[in-house]
Amino acid sequence: MNILQAKEYIKDSINIYLKKDEFGDYRIPVVRQRPIFLIGAPGIGKTAIMEQIAEELGIALVSYSMTHHTRQSALGLPYIKTKKYKDESYDISEYTMSEIIASIYETMEESGVSEGILFLDEINCVSETLAPSMLLFLQYKVFGKHKIPEGWIIVTAGNPPEYNKSVREFDVVTLDRLKVINVEPDYKTWKEYGVEKGLHNAILNFLELKKDYFYHMETTASGRSYVTARGWEDLSEIISMYEEDSKKVDETLVGQYLRNELIVKEFCAYYDLYNKYKNDYRIDDILAGKATDTAISKAKAAEFDERLSLLGMLIDKLLSNMKEVVTFSDYLTELMKDLEAVKIAKDTFRALNELIEKRKSTIIKLEKANSLSASKKKMLKKVIVYLENTKKGLISENIINEEEAYRYIKKFFALEVEQMKDKAENTSSSLHNLFEFVEKAFEGGNEMLILVTELTVNKYSSRYITMFGSEDYHKNNKLLMVSERQAEMKNDIEKLMNN
């Protein structure tokens, strides 16, 4: 299965394992809660989906790479303890608490979250001395004498032997205690993730043309050559940072993330071409409704690769704007909760201070639980800044009266709403202009189908269109659906005629 399917399967398994009976006890006993074993090539997102699952389920996450652990660090250190049996004293060996289990308890205490995921990566690379203890742990959730707390689900991951020389293949006894999920690299799934995450459009466009380069492994005369999903994502981030500082992206930089000479050369050549298209077509002008006749004529005459790159750049810019509006709307919705609390409070300043501290505490707790995404953290911080600025405004205006204070807060909030509306209006205008350009430049080609499809499958664009509407989208979506149905009917008739 692909990584997205694996994510949903793991979520379902965790939800089942965390089900309780009427007495509050977990319905599936610990010994029957089979740990999940994700096995797949390196860099396909196994660790990333665990962070997403923890956030989406509202539980904690503790992660460890087992390649860094010895028997002592995993099990704890031995010490001598004296015990009495029938008036006789004996010295016995016991173990301190495992660092791994101690981390779970620390996370629970610091975050206040009592349920979570213990994610053990590189599980099939444990040392020979640790292997027997790991087998015991996978069955009984025990390191030494210390159990992991109830409500904590074990998920493990590892690479197949062909990718890692340190891999120890599990025997049947071990595998029979695990829920094994084989994960394969899948470009389509990764692309959806990449578009949503806002990865650099040059990378997404390049891989749309060269899908075989998304994940590439081979052994050459000079050693192992590889390109992974992780490499593309890290490269995307560094390219964006280089562009911010107007620094040159060259083969030396790209080669630090993509370990294949041919792919590096081809991507760098495409990246230069991508920037040329960007300058030639003047993307911002097209979205502003100022596409020149030259740009339209050039697009009409362009080869498919160039058309695809141009369309990708336009869609990328538009999706970025749509995401900004949708996240702005989410921020205002979150802020409204606090403003409702201020409205019914008897002391505005006290209420604002309490809300600010509550938001800060939420960030700290979610970070301690390792279940706070960068996007959610940014939104929560934005709410805090708004509340702090509101408080400063009340002080600077010397507003003490409670009714006056709330009127001021409403006015302050209305300015935020107007800002969001302005952004939405500009974005809707850009959306209309993009449809117009595609109609003029590509005249009913597959480019319109690509545009409508991208707007349909992207999380932010689909939400944006639901919120603000788009006559152009609905008109073209309807036409394409009719056209598709006609094609299906034609194929059905041809099949009947041939039978």
Side-chain angles (χ1 to χ4, degrees):
M1 63 177 68
N2 63 47
I3 196 70
L4 191 59
Q5 292 168 328
K7 175 186 170 182
E8 293 307 311
Y9 182 85
I10 294 168
K11 281 179 70 175
D12 289 343
S13 296
I14 291 173
N15 279 324
I16 293 294
Y17 285 165
L18 294 180
K19 277 192 173 183
K20 296 178 180 178
D21 61 20
E22 66 270 29
F23 305 109
D25 296 321
Y26 291 101
R27 290 172 62 180
I28 299 180
V30 172
V31 293
R32 293 286 173 257
Q33 291 182 6
R34 287 194 174 197
I36 296 161
F37 179 38
L38 275 173
I39 184 162
I44 59 174
K46 297 187 290 291
T47 304
I49 63 165
M50 300 316 305
E51 295 166 355
Q52 294 166 20
I53 291 169
E55 181 184 8
E56 290 168 20
L57 295 182
I59 58 179
L61 173 67
V62 171
S63 300
Y64 271 94
S65 174
M66 295 311 296
T67 54
H68 301 150
H69 279 281
T70 62
R71 187 173 185 274
Q72 286 75 22
S73 63
L75 295 181
L77 294 171
Y79 66 93
I80 304 299
K81 185 172 183 178
T82 302
K83 285 195 173 183
K84 278 192 173 184
Y85 302 104
K86 295 183 179 179
D87 297 326
E88 292 284 337
S89 294
Y90 298 90
D91 290 335
I92 63 169
S93 294
E94 290 206 359
Y95 288 86
T96 57
M97 182 177 281
S98 159
E99 177 190 326
I100 295 173
I101 293 185
S103 291
I104 295 175
Y105 282 105
E106 285 171 7
T107 299
M108 290 169 65
E109 187 174 338
E110 292 174 351
S111 68
V113 180
S114 60
E115 296 178 329
I117 303 165
L118 173 60
F119 179 57
L120 303 178
D121 201 4
E122 309 287 358
I123 191 74
N124 53 353
C125 291
V126 295
S127 64
E128 192 172 342
T129 56
L130 185 56
S133 301
M134 285 306 304
L135 177 60
L136 185 67
F137 174 73
L138 292 173
Q139 184 173 9
Y140 296 106
K141 322 297 187 291
V142 175
F143 273 135
K145 278 194 169 184
H146 304 284
K147 292 183 178 181
I148 70 165
E150 282 193 313
W152 279 75
I153 311 303
I154 299 170
V155 180
T156 67
N159 304 135
E162 60 265 30
Y163 296 110
N164 192 331
K165 292 179 181 178
S166 304
V167 164
R168 301 166 55 84
E169 291 197 60
F170 285 154
D171 54 28
V172 174
V173 176
T174 306
L175 290 173
D176 195 38
R177 287 165 169 78
L178 301 170
K179 294 174 74 170
V180 181
I181 302 176
N182 289 295
V183 186
E184 298 292 334
D186 181 75
Y187 169 70
K188 184 181 176 184
T189 302
W190 183 83
K191 185 197 169 186
E192 290 174 11
Y193 161 80
V195 171
E196 185 179 320
K197 187 88 182 282
L199 298 191
H200 199 287
N201 190 241
I203 289 174
L204 296 176
N205 280 359
F206 175 74
L207 291 176
E208 194 64 26
L209 298 169
K210 301 277 187 178
K211 294 182 178 67
D212 290 345
Y213 289 170
F214 161 61
Y215 203 94
H216 189 83
M217 290 275 177
E218 65 176 317
T219 302
T220 65
S222 56
R224 204 66 182 270
S225 169
Y226 56 90
V227 175
T228 68
R230 182 193 295 128
W232 286 115
E233 186 168 354
D234 290 347
L235 177 62
S236 169
E237 189 167 342
I238 202 69
I239 287 177
S240 296
M241 299 298 286
Y242 264 55
E243 289 178 344
E244 273 185 31
D245 293 343
S246 300
K247 293 183 180 294
K248 183 175 174 57
V249 174
D250 57 18
E251 289 187 15
T252 302
L253 176 70
V254 175
Q256 293 166 2
Y257 297 88
L258 312 178
R259 307 297 294 172
N260 181 286
E261 286 185 18
L262 175 63
I263 295 176
V264 168
K265 286 183 182 299
E266 289 196 25
F267 174 74
C268 287
Y270 176 80
Y271 179 74
D272 291 339
L273 198 59
Y274 170 89
N275 285 319
K276 182 179 182 299
Y277 293 156
K278 203 171 185 179
N279 292 326
D280 288 351
Y281 284 102
R282 302 176 69 88
I283 302 302
D284 290 337
D285 284 353
I286 292 173
L287 292 177
K290 299 175 183 176
T292 63
D293 291 339
T294 303
I296 293 170
S297 299
K298 183 175 170 59
K300 278 183 181 179
E303 296 293 329
F304 178 72
D305 287 4
E306 185 172 334
R307 286 181 169 210
L308 195 62
S309 296
L310 170 59
L311 186 60
M313 284 185 276
L314 290 163
I315 292 173
D316 180 61
K317 180 74 173 179
L318 181 67
L319 291 179
S320 176
N321 294 340
M322 287 177 159
K323 180 179 179 180
E324 188 179 349
V325 174
V326 170
T327 53
F328 202 148
S329 174
D330 289 342
Y331 149 71
L332 292 176
T333 302
E334 191 71 19
L335 187 56
M336 277 290 291
K337 298 174 187 176
D338 287 357
L339 298 188
E340 289 295 325
V342 172
K343 183 180 180 181
I344 61 175
K346 293 180 180 179
D347 186 332
T348 300
F349 281 95
R350 183 177 177 182
L352 286 170
N353 284 328
E354 286 177 353
L355 288 166
I356 289 167
E357 289 308 310
K358 185 180 177 182
R359 292 291 186 179
K360 288 180 177 178
S361 176
T362 298
I363 290 174
I364 291 169
K365 286 183 176 181
L366 289 174
E367 283 186 323
K368 294 291 185 183
N370 297 309
S371 58
L372 180 64
S373 67
S375 58
K376 187 171 182 180
K377 182 179 180 180
K378 187 175 181 180
M379 182 181 69
L380 292 174
K381 283 193 168 185
K382 197 172 179 181
V383 170
I384 292 169
V385 168
Y386 174 90
L387 296 173
E388 289 175 337
N389 287 340
T390 302
K391 190 175 74 169
K392 287 176 185 175
L394 289 169
I395 293 170
S396 67
E397 296 287 333
N398 197 27
I399 299 173
I400 301 172
N401 180 276
E402 294 299 322
E403 286 186 14
E404 275 189 58
Y406 190 68
R407 277 199 298 270
Y408 175 84
I409 290 170
K410 278 180 68 177
K411 182 181 176 183
F412 206 57
F413 181 73
L415 293 174
E416 294 281 287
V417 174
E418 282 304 310
Q419 189 180 344
M420 189 270 287
K421 285 181 178 178
D422 287 344
K423 287 180 182 291
E425 190 176 324
N426 290 333
T427 301
S428 291
S429 178
S430 295
L431 178 59
H432 172 69
N433 294 332
L434 178 53
F435 271 104
E436 272 200 341
F437 177 79
V438 170
E439 284 176 0
K440 288 178 182 176
F442 304 128
E443 298 177 334
N446 287 331
E447 289 78 9
M448 183 62 78
L449 175 61
I450 293 169
L451 172 58
V452 171
T453 302
E454 292 292 341
L455 292 172
T456 303
V457 300
N458 181 268
K459 179 174 76 174
Y460 294 106
S461 58
S462 60
R463 281 187 62 195
Y464 180 92
I465 291 169
T466 301
M467 291 164 66
F468 300 100
S470 169
E471 288 184 17
D472 296 292
Y473 169 80
H474 291 299
K475 179 187 75 175
N476 284 283
N477 192 30
K478 188 176 180 180
L479 287 173
L480 289 168
M481 288 173 68
V482 169
S483 176
E484 186 178 328
R485 180 62 191 138
Q486 286 174 339
E488 286 176 3
M489 290 171 66
K490 185 178 178 182
N491 287 335
D492 290 342
I493 292 168
E494 286 178 355
K495 285 179 184 176
L496 289 170
M497 295 288 286
N498 292 330
N499 286 338

